[in-house]
Amino acid sequence: MSKFIFITGGVVSGIGKGIVGASIGRLLKDRGVSVFMQKFDPYINVDPGTMSPYQHGEVFVTKDGAETDLDLGHYERFIDEELTQRSNVTTGRIYSEVIQKERRGDYNGSTVQVIPHITDRIKGYVYKAAEESKADVIITEIGGTVGDIESLPFIEAIRQIHSENKDDVLFIHTTLVPKVPGSNELKTKPTQHSFKQLMSQGIKANIIVVRSSETISEEIKNKISLFCDVPKNAIVQSENVDVIYEVPVKLHEQGLDDYVIEKLQLKAKKSDSNWANMLRSVKDAKETLEVGLIGKYVKLHDAYLSVSQALIDASYKNGYKLNIHWINSQEITEENVSEKLSGLDGIIVPGGFGSRGVEGMIITSKYSRENNIPYFGICFGMQIAIIDIARNVCKLEGADSTEKNEYTKYPVISLMEDQFDVKNIGGTLRLGNYDCKLKENTKARKLYNEEFIKERHRHRYEFNNKFRKELEQAGVVFSGINPELDLVEIIEYNNSDYFVACQFHPEFKSRPNKVHPLFDGFIKASIKNKKSK
């Protein structure tokens, strides 16, 4: 039977519950314990799929097509496991499902209430994750902070799970130990109050993880231990680090994984991991690579979190630090493009929706292609590359995506229903894993070193196959094709040293110790370009 770890937060949000949970998952996995991770979000949106990137950062997509919180990206990168729709649950989703059941009459005329109906539904997601994953440990992060009115049903649900599985549940509470300006003292009172707030809701934390700008002294630990009735060796600090992948190492040095294993009576081996080797490559990197990320949401870097992290990881793997130039595509014009993109070793255009900033991206693709700067287009970035080549090489004047211009004479990018006799596609996204067959003697085939792959998607518009012949004659190689619907998944441009774009999102499958082939290839090409200057 699975064991359960629940991670709550107090004092303020954003103190690293997700990273702590992912780090514990990494440490347990390194010791032979299988894990599955979840994030419970208290907002009323059913999922973050319709939320602005400026509100919520990127939308992470699981293999089965769930649009989820960006914390799941951290989870997957740390534990190297593919998560599912069971991994992200919101208040909106829970209430929506309960109301649907009530409308169908599933409750046999009972009065539907938060307890037991809402809490039972929340518990069901935890138990179902255990049943389906068969993992030794289910790690669940509760979003927000203790005391938030939105979080109360989740807190009550995990209290009930503890009541039903007393020896198999561990509560970890993350808090802030701030330094008050002027006094030059670290204050434990916020941690004490947060702990008592959690106690008032029926939960006693077994472990406290503190965040602070300075190293926590033994005196501070003693004080927290005394006032919160938690053993001193169960109080650890999540230190500020240069690279987030150091967090598991820091927690291991404080004995956190040993304590978790002992409390949950898990069968575990000594730590066996290449994580430390991966971190050494990070520390050893000396030279810096200059890569431009051209997008429409660059004011909030979290909007491209998985992309930027995959780029950074690929750079470290190849012995380089990375300097990402965050460039707003709306600001790029034919007149200033050479100035805006000057000095870049490589250029990446990631995903996005809508017409804003598109022309700047098309100009970027053209500049990259004509100046032989390595180009990597992801999802929207592939569509941009197609439009550029259609307009500027094939001379299809005004070629465009019907998302931007539904009346274009040359709809090189359009909805799938406009191209095929496919029903029930309009108004939906192609989400999650889809098959792709790679063509021989192409960059993609060499990078993956296999014929068939699966990659995750999140998009609505596709390359219009009616223009395939014209683009092939212009030098485009369609190196990856979805065999079921004959949809283009990867393109390359023969007349550039490295010009590769894909319709899917490879960043979702990249790991710090297992870099995705397309990111690895792009960074290698950018390094080669840097050295040739």
Side-chain angles (χ1 to χ4, degrees), residues 445-494:
R445 181 70 174 267
K446 290 173 185 175
L447 289 171
Y448 279 95
N449 196 29
E450 51 188 310
E451 183 178 6
F452 292 96
I453 59 171
K454 283 184 184 290
E455 292 284 1
R456 298 185 204 174
H457 295 65
R458 183 179 182 250
H459 63 97
R460 181 173 291 114
Y461 290 80
E462 307 278 355
F463 170 69
N464 190 337
N465 279 323
K466 296 173 184 177
F467 296 92
R468 188 181 290 190
K469 185 177 179 180
E470 286 162 288
L471 269 84
E472 282 179 329
Q473 291 172 346
V476 174
V477 177
F478 297 97
S479 54
I481 302 293
N482 172 263
E484 182 183 359
L485 289 170
D486 193 34
L487 295 172
V488 171
E489 300 281 17
I490 308 176
I491 68 160
E492 302 169 16
Y493 184 62
N494 261 343

Side-chain angles (χ1 to χ4, degrees), residues 95-193:
Y95 273 82
S96 176
E97 291 174 356
V98 168
I99 290 169
Q100 287 176 28
K101 287 169 68 72
E102 184 272 332
R103 292 289 86 188
R104 289 197 304 264
D106 292 1
Y107 297 118
N108 297 320
S110 298
T111 301
V112 180
Q113 298 176 292
V114 173
I115 303 172
H117 301 97
I118 296 297
T119 51
D120 280 355
R121 195 68 181 169
I122 295 169
K123 287 158 55 180
Y125 271 97
V126 178
Y127 289 136
K128 200 69 176 177
E131 177 188 330
E132 291 177 354
S133 70
K134 296 180 172 55
D136 297 323
V137 178
I138 308 299
I139 303 173
T140 306
E141 174 192 352
I142 310 300
T145 55
V146 171
D148 294 345
I149 192 169
E150 301 99 327
S151 300
L152 290 175
F154 292 106
I155 297 296
E156 171 59 20
I158 64 176
R159 184 201 67 76
Q160 291 179 22
I161 290 174
H162 174 257
S163 180
E164 296 161 4
N165 309 268
K166 289 190 183 298
D167 297 327
D168 297 323
V169 172
L170 197 67
F171 293 115
I172 299 176
H173 191 51
T174 62
T175 69
L176 180 69
V177 176
K179 174 181 278 190
V180 178
S183 71
N184 205 34
E185 285 184 274
L186 293 175
K187 295 295 185 180
T188 65
K189 194 64 72 177
T191 295
Q192 296 174 43
H193 281 296

Side-chain angles (χ1 to χ4, degrees), residues 60-68 72 76 82-88 431-433 456-457 508:
F60 189 83
V61 179
T62 60
K63 66 179 182 179
D64 56 352
E67 295 178 285
T68 72
L72 267 70
E76 287 206 6
E82 290 196 292
L83 302 176
T84 69
Q85 61 176 326
R86 298 285 177 199
S87 296
N88 196 204
L431 285 165
N433 274 1
R456 298 185 204 174
H457 295 65
F508 294 150

Side-chain angles (χ1 to χ4, degrees), residues 1-7 20-38 79 81 83 87 126-127 129-141 167-172 257 259-268:
M1 180 179 171
S2 297
K3 311 277 188 174
F4 305 96
I5 296 175
F6 297 106
I7 302 175
V20 168
S23 298
I24 293 170
R26 176 76 255 169
L27 293 172
L28 292 179
K29 189 175 178 184
D30 286 346
R31 301 188 64 170
V33 178
S34 61
V35 297
F36 185 86
M37 296 196 67
Q38 295 179 302
I79 68 175
E81 298 286 346
L83 302 176
S87 296
V126 178
Y127 289 136
E131 177 188 330
E132 291 177 354
S133 70
K134 296 180 172 55
D136 297 323
V137 178
I138 308 299
I139 303 173
T140 306
E141 174 192 352
D167 297 327
D168 297 323
V169 172
L170 197 67
F171 293 115
I172 299 176
D257 48 323
Y259 192 85
V260 169
I261 287 165
E262 178 188 347
K263 291 295 288 184
L264 289 178
Q265 298 182 316
L266 296 166
K267 293 180 180 179

Side-chain angles (χ1 to χ4, degrees), residues 207-223:
I207 296 170
I208 294 177
V209 179
V210 299
R211 283 296 303 276
S212 181
S213 58
E214 296 184 5
T215 301
I216 299 296
S217 66
E218 293 301 303
E219 182 183 0
I220 293 289
K221 283 188 178 181
N222 287 333
K223 193 172 183 180

